[in-house]
């Protein structure tokens, strides 16, 4: 295995890291990085010395490699992985957020599904497997930059005032590609071996140059890192700044000044759909973030321990009010640890046989992270009080006997020397009040991006069908009494109708049907075999089959009545794809998806969302829409881009729910912003999908299995 000494020696490789206007010539010895480099070196030795519990045999080389690289295939694998990652996090008390285990976990997920990367060429599938093997067997430290710089967040990559502000493909050359631009938050990049560059932010058609996924060594010509102000420099001692001197992993703006990347290091190339799918159609996002939550569990446990030790030192840890506060701290720390264990205990097996933590509990914890960590720090501040300020400027005061005597007399606790007490409270200051502490609070608040992003992940993966099912079962257990004089029947089991009219749930635009979705089940009438497609329908259906890649289940039922099938299909084409349309086709597709959601048609929703998420640059109809954007549209949480779109969405939602009682306010806005032909077309979109949704619901058309993941958008 790689030793700490080997890691330190590898850092002097000619990389360009800028501090105070100068390029650092020796990373491992520079005061900005020496402490954290020694920490990472110690971690490598720690893994080597505890190989029995922190490693597994490489599937190719047979030698011990870090369990961070393990592709789990059982809950026992997850347990071993969690134990090893916990030991690694304990080595830094959770204060190194992007150590070697972090990106290793993502790559274990990427490489478990190489077919996804091979969608645009087999070499990309081979590349991801090859590099993950190299990373694992050579014990490489890989960092990443996956967020564009904050220049103008109102615009996507290709819409910026200048090209290649976010990093992207400049051109192809012999043997590879040239990357130009910048990415932000290269946490740990200055002290790593390779940089993984991609983009987790949603991309749109036109952003193809930025839809890439690749790795470059840190010493690649043209790659330059502008590190933020280091917190380890100019500190008097580890005693005075015990965290920043050892665990400041640094963050950097990463600039690609026409960096050459060979094809062998490219995993996704100019493909919007795959660039997005790599995160969420492989277990990468779950495995990478489970490592982060394991680390956070260690860090919150450390804070809980620090709070208790401070209170014990001050002799107040048994006062009832303080016990209550310590209990609150303990409960927050227990939530993080408990969610990690719950995600593992209820693990999910995906289509490739990979066992990964349950997203319900993983993203549930992540959604609370931005509030939970600052709350913990605030509680620690309250418990520490002024003790973090009643400390000398540095350890040098102890060198003078007179000064040392003053400190020993006035800064002490029963049974605890001044030196021990000052050491404890300096550690508390590093956790709550120093620049290092401020950076960590910001890091944990925005670890998953904007807080709404993590909450959206939690919403999508919670499994609301189960929760709403409980409510529906409760509602079905009682009814309105037939006579006001009679008491209501209360029974947890549904009762047979005895003449009373069952209470109908109120219609809701934002809460459609929660009936179980029928996925690839047999319909109650048989399908018409595809080879028996009526000849008169083939010219109509073949273009659709070519676009979608399959014959939808609904059409296999319609073909029992070819005349009706042809009429429905022509109506579909005229309303949704007519080139003379007065409304944008992409807008109509989004409106159709919203209408189908209001009408509770999981079948139509799954088809709409498949098309909206599909690539915009192929033969198929598609708009490369990101998951979060689509979820926001379906739930109504995402504001339309302008008033024109807003009134269209408002009209479609209201008219789909109750077309006979629309408020005058909506009609006034329609007349002010839309032409009469546009209003006619908008109403036809509503009516057409109301009819289609009704037909598909009445026929109980099963959802195709390969589209089932998009049926979840029915819940918004």
């Amino acid at each position: 295995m790689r030793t700490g000494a080997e890691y330190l020696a590898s850092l002097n490789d000619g990389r360009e890291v800028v501090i105070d206007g100068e390029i650092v010539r020796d990373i491992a010895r520079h005061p900005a990085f020496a402490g954290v480099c020694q920490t990472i070196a110690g971690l490598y030795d720690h893994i080597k010395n505890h190989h029995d519990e922190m490693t597994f045999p490489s599937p190719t080389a047979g030698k011990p490699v870090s369990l961070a690289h393990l592709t789990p295939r059982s809950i026992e694998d997850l347990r071993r992985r969690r134990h090893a990652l916990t030991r690694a996090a304990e080595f830094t008390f959770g204060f190194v957020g992007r150590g070697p285990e972090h990106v290793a976990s993502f790559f274990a997920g990427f490489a478990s599904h190489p077919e996804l990367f091979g969608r645009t060429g087999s070499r990309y599938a081979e590349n991801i497997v090859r590099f993950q093997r190299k990373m694992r067997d050579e014990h490489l430290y890989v960092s990443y930059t996956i967020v564009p710089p904050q220049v103008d967040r109102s615009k996507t990559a290709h819409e910026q005032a200048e090209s290649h502000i976010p990093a992207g493909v400049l051109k192809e050359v012999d043997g590879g590609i040239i990357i130009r631009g910048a990415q932000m938050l290269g946490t740990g990049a200055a002290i790593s071996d390779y940089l993984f560059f991609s983009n987790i932010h949603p991309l749109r058609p036109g952003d193809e140059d930025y839809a890439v996924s690749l790795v470059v060594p840190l010493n690649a010509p043209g790659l330059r890192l502008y590190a933020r102000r280091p917190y380890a420099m100019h500190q008097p001692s580890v005693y005075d700044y015990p965290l920043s001197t050892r665990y400041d992993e640094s963050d950097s703006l990463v600039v690609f000044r026409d960096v050459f990347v060979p094809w062998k290091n490219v995993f996704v190339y100019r493909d919007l759909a795959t660039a997005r799918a790599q995160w969420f159609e492989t277990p990468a996002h779950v495995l990478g973030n489970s490592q982060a939550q394991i680390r956070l569990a260690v860090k919150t446990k450390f804070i809980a321990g620090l709070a208790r030790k401070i209170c014990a030192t001050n002799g107040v840890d048994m006062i009832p009010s303080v016990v209550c506060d310590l209990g609150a701290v303990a409960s927050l720390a227990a939530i993080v640890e408990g969610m990690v264990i719950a995600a593992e205990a209820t693990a999910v097996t995906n289509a490739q046989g990979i066992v990964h933590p349950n997203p319900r509990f993983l993203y549930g914890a992540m959604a609370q992270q931005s509030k939970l960590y600052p709350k913990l720090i605030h509680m620690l501040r309250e418990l520490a009080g002024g003790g973090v300020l009643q400390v000398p400027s540095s350890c040098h005061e102890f060198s003078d006997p007179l000064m040392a005597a003053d400190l020993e007399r006035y800064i002490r606790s029963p049974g605890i020397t001044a030196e021990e007490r000052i050491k404890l409270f300096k550690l508390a200051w590093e956790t709550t009040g120093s620049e290092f502490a401020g950076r960590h609070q910001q890091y944990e608040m925005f670890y998953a991006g904007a807080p709404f992003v993590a909450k959206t992940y939690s919403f999508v993966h919670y499994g609301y069908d189960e929760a709403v099912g409980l409510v529906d079962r409760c509602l079905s257990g009682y009814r309105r009494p037939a006579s006001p004089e009679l008491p209501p029947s209360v029974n947890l089991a549904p009762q047979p109708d005895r003449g009373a009219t069952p209470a109908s749930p109120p219609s809701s635009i934002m809460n459609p049907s929660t009936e179980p979705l029928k996925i690839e089940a047999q319909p109650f009438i048989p399908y018409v075999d595809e080879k028996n497609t009526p000849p008169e329908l083939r010219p109509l259906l073949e273009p659709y089959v070519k676009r979608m890649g399959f014959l939808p289940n609904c059409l296999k039922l319609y073909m029992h009545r070819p005349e009706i099938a042809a009429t429905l299909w022509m109506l579909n084409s005229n309303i949704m794809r007519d080139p003379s349309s007065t409304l944008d086709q992409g807008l109509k597709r989004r409106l159709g998806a919203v209408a189908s959601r209001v009408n509770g048609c999981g079948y139509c929703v799954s088809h709409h969302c498949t098309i909206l998420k599909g690539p915009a640059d192929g033969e198929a109809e598609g708009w490369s829409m990101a998951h979060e954007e689509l979820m926001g549209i379906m739930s109504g949480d995402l504001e339309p881009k302008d008033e024109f779109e807003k009134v269209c969405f408002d009209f479609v939602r209201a008219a789909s729910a109750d077309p006979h009682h629309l408020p005058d306010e909506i009609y006034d806005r329609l007349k002010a912003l839309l032409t009469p032909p546009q209003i006619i077309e908008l109403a036809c979109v509503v009516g057409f999908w109301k009819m289609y949704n009704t037909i598909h619901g009445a026929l109980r058309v099963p959802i195709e299995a390969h589209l089932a993941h998009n049926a979840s958008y029915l819940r918004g």
Side-chain angles (χ1 to χ4, degrees):
M1 290 190 66
R2 189 183 202 183
T3 66
E6 290 169 339
Y7 162 72
L8 292 172
S10 72
L11 295 173
N12 192 20
D13 58 3
R15 65 187 63 195
E16 294 187 2
V17 180
V18 178
I19 295 285
D20 289 337
E22 297 182 354
I23 294 176
V24 176
R25 295 303 175 188
D26 189 343
I27 292 289
R29 294 178 182 273
H30 191 278
F33 304 108
V36 71
C37 286
Q38 288 293 331
T39 295
I40 299 299
L43 178 58
Y44 274 113
D45 289 336
H46 183 68
I47 296 171
K48 184 179 178 68
N49 294 336
H50 296 85
H51 62 87
D52 55 331
E53 56 183 331
M54 298 186 73
T55 69
F56 73 108
S58 165
T60 52
K63 296 180 180 179
V65 293
S66 169
L67 272 162
H69 298 286
L70 179 69
T71 302
R73 296 187 179 274
S74 67
I75 289 183
E76 176 58 23
D77 281 349
L78 284 179
R79 188 200 65 78
R80 291 172 58 216
R81 177 179 179 272
R82 172 174 57 83
H83 184 71
L85 294 177
T86 299
R87 291 296 302 269
E90 288 174 347
F91 189 79
T92 64
F93 310 103
F95 283 98
V96 172
R98 303 275 170 87
E101 311 82 33
H102 186 63
V103 177
S105 299
F106 281 91
F107 269 79
F110 291 150
S112 73
H113 191 7
E115 298 82 5
L116 183 145
F117 294 87
R119 289 174 181 174
T120 55
S122 60
R123 67 175 173 184
Y124 301 119
E126 296 165 2
N127 290 351
I128 195 72
V129 171
R130 182 192 311 112
F131 185 79
Q132 196 265 344
R133 183 182 303 139
K134 173 183 175 69
M135 178 184 181
R136 179 192 67 209
D137 292 349
E138 296 180 18
H139 309 280
L140 297 177
Y141 180 2
V142 179
S143 56
Y144 62 22
T145 52
I146 56 176
V147 179
Q150 292 181 340
V151 176
D152 185 351
R153 284 287 172 88
S154 70
K155 295 181 173 63
T156 189
H158 80 281
E159 295 171 338
Q160 298 293 321
E162 303 170 57
S163 67
H164 294 86
I165 296 297
V169 179
L170 179 67
K171 59 183 177 180
E172 293 184 22
V173 295
D174 289 343
I177 57 177
I178 299 296
I179 300 295
R180 176 183 290 180
Q183 291 284 94
M184 62 181 282
L185 296 183
T187 302
I191 58 172
S192 64
D193 298 304
Y194 272 80
L195 181 72
F196 171 56
F197 158 53
S198 191
N199 205 320
I200 200 167
H201 276 206
L203 299 173
R204 293 179 178 273
D207 288 335
E208 286 76 11
D209 286 343
Y210 309 92
V212 296
S213 180
L214 52 87
V215 290
V216 292
L218 262 296
N219 65 346
L223 188 68
R224 176 170 288 177
L225 275 62
Y226 291 88
R228 60 150 168 81
R229 182 188 180 280
Y231 306 137
M233 289 178 65
H234 313 302
Q235 304 296 12
S237 69
V238 175
Y239 175 88
D240 292 293
Y241 289 89
L243 301 181
S244 55
T245 54
R246 296 183 293 169
Y247 308 128
D248 183 19
E249 58 200 313
S250 187
D251 311 283
S252 300
L253 174 70
V254 179
V255 176
F256 294 81
R257 296 178 299 128
D258 294 358
V259 175
F260 171 73
V261 181
W263 286 117
K264 69 176 183 178
N265 287 345
V266 178
F267 316 128
V268 177
Y269 181 63
R270 301 189 78 253
D271 186 84
L272 297 170
T274 307
R276 189 65 181 168
Q278 66 179 330
W279 304 106
F280 303 108
E281 293 182 29
T282 75
H285 200 259
V286 173
L287 291 177
N289 282 292
S290 70
Q291 181 276 331
Q293 291 302 303
I294 290 167
R295 173 201 60 80
L296 183 63
V298 170
K299 191 175 184 180
T300 54
K301 185 182 292 186
F302 172 85
I303 292 170
L306 184 56
R308 177 65 190 274
K309 190 168 183 66
I310 286 172
C311 293
T313 298
N314 285 340
V316 297
D317 59 327
M318 288 295 108
I319 296 175
S321 61
V322 176
V323 169
C324 181
D325 290 341
L326 288 172
V329 170
S331 70
L332 293 177
I335 285 172
V336 181
E337 184 178 18
M339 295 289 259
V340 167
I341 295 172
E344 174 189 298
T346 60
V348 176
T349 303
N350 71 8
Q352 288 73 45
I354 310 306
V355 179
H356 61 75
N358 188 333
R360 170 188 285 194
F361 301 107
L362 174 66
Y363 292 126
M366 285 176 61
Q368 295 302 313
Q369 185 171 346
S370 63
K371 290 186 176 180
L372 184 147
Y373 188 81
K375 187 172 183 179
L376 265 177
I377 294 301
H378 179 73
M379 295 165 77
L380 180 59
R381 280 176 173 270
E382 288 187 328
L383 291 168
V388 292
L389 305 178
Q390 187 189 289
V391 291
S393 62
S394 76
C395 62
H396 298 307
E397 279 86 332
F398 284 106
S399 300
D400 182 284
L402 182 59
M403 294 180 186
D406 284 341
L407 298 179
E408 194 60 53
R409 178 177 177 82
Y410 299 113
I411 307 180
R412 60 177 174 165
S413 294
I416 299 174
T417 65
E419 183 176 336
E420 291 172 324
R421 180 184 169 87
I422 291 169
K423 183 179 184 181
L424 173 64
F425 278 86
K426 281 183 175 286
L427 176 60
W429 178 249
E430 274 273 81
T431 306
T432 61
S434 68
E435 279 190 296
F436 179 87
R439 181 265 177 191
H440 270 262
Q441 181 157 328
Q442 198 77 357
Y443 175 87
E444 302 296 358
M445 287 176 65
F446 294 95
Y447 162 76
F452 80 87
V453 174
K455 291 174 183 175
T456 299
Y457 294 151
S458 182
F459 174 84
V460 170
H461 293 283
Y462 176 71
Y464 265 105
D465 288 353
E466 184 181 330
V468 174
L470 285 173
V471 177
D472 287 343
R473 186 162 67 87
C474 177
L475 290 170
S476 68
Y478 60 92
R479 62 180 183 273
R480 178 177 59 81
S483 170
E485 288 77 26
L486 297 177
S489 170
V490 179
N491 194 318
L492 292 179
Q495 299 295 311
D497 180 33
R498 293 186 174 89
T501 302
S504 299
S507 64
S508 169
I509 293 175
M510 304 311 296
N511 291 287
S513 167
T514 55
E515 287 297 312
L517 300 174
K518 300 172 181 63
I519 298 171
E520 203 68 319
Q522 287 299 315
F524 79 99
I525 58 174
Y527 293 128
V528 174
D529 193 286
E530 203 166 334
K531 64 178 180 289
N532 296 327
T533 301
E536 65 270 29
L537 290 182
R538 286 174 185 159
L540 297 176
L541 301 186
E542 284 175 358
Y544 184 79
V545 171
K546 185 177 181 181
R547 283 200 304 272
M548 295 293 286
F550 66 97
L551 182 66
N553 290 342
C554 64
L555 293 175
K556 289 188 283 187
L557 294 176
Y558 294 166
M559 287 193 296
H560 284 290
R561 282 298 312 274
E563 300 82 2
I564 293 178
T567 300
L568 289 174
W569 186 243
M570 291 301 295
L571 186 59
N572 186 328
S573 297
N574 288 338
I575 291 176
M576 297 302 292
R577 277 185 292 276
D578 189 336
S580 68
S581 173
T582 64
L583 296 174
D584 175 72
Q585 188 175 339
L587 173 61
K588 284 197 295 184
R589 180 61 62 182
R590 285 178 281 150
L591 294 172
V594 168
S596 297
R597 178 178 184 269
V598 174
N599 297 328
C601 182
Y603 183 83
C604 290
V605 165
S606 68
H607 280 250
H608 282 302
C609 293
T610 297
I611 292 170
L612 287 168
K613 290 168 64 179
D617 54 355
E619 292 185 355
E621 187 179 355
W623 280 270
S624 297
M625 190 166 289
H627 167 76
E628 288 82 4
E629 182 181 6
L630 187 52
M631 182 60 68
I633 290 170
M634 298 298 278
S635 67
D637 292 337
L638 183 68
E639 282 291 320
K641 69 178 183 180
D642 53 34
E643 286 301 315
F644 181 93
E645 285 199 358
K646 181 171 175 52
V647 71
C648 289
F649 277 104
D650 289 348
F651 175 81
V652 167
R653 287 192 175 98
S656 297
D658 185 355
H660 302 294
H661 298 92
L662 271 71
D664 291 339
E665 177 266 340
I666 288 184
Y667 283 113
D668 292 340
R669 290 163 57 207
L670 279 176
K671 288 189 290 185
L673 294 170
L674 276 69
T675 64
Q678 288 173 327
I679 295 173
I680 294 294
E681 192 166 346
L682 191 62
C684 288
V685 169
V686 173
F688 174 74
W689 287 108
K690 174 71 78 173
M691 177 186 69
Y692 241 33
N693 300 154
T694 302
I695 293 171
H696 294 159
L699 290 176
R700 298 182 179 179
V701 183
I703 299 173
E704 293 79 6
H706 68 289
L707 304 188
H709 61 288
N710 285 331
S712 63
Y713 290 102
L714 179 63
R715 315 302 181 211

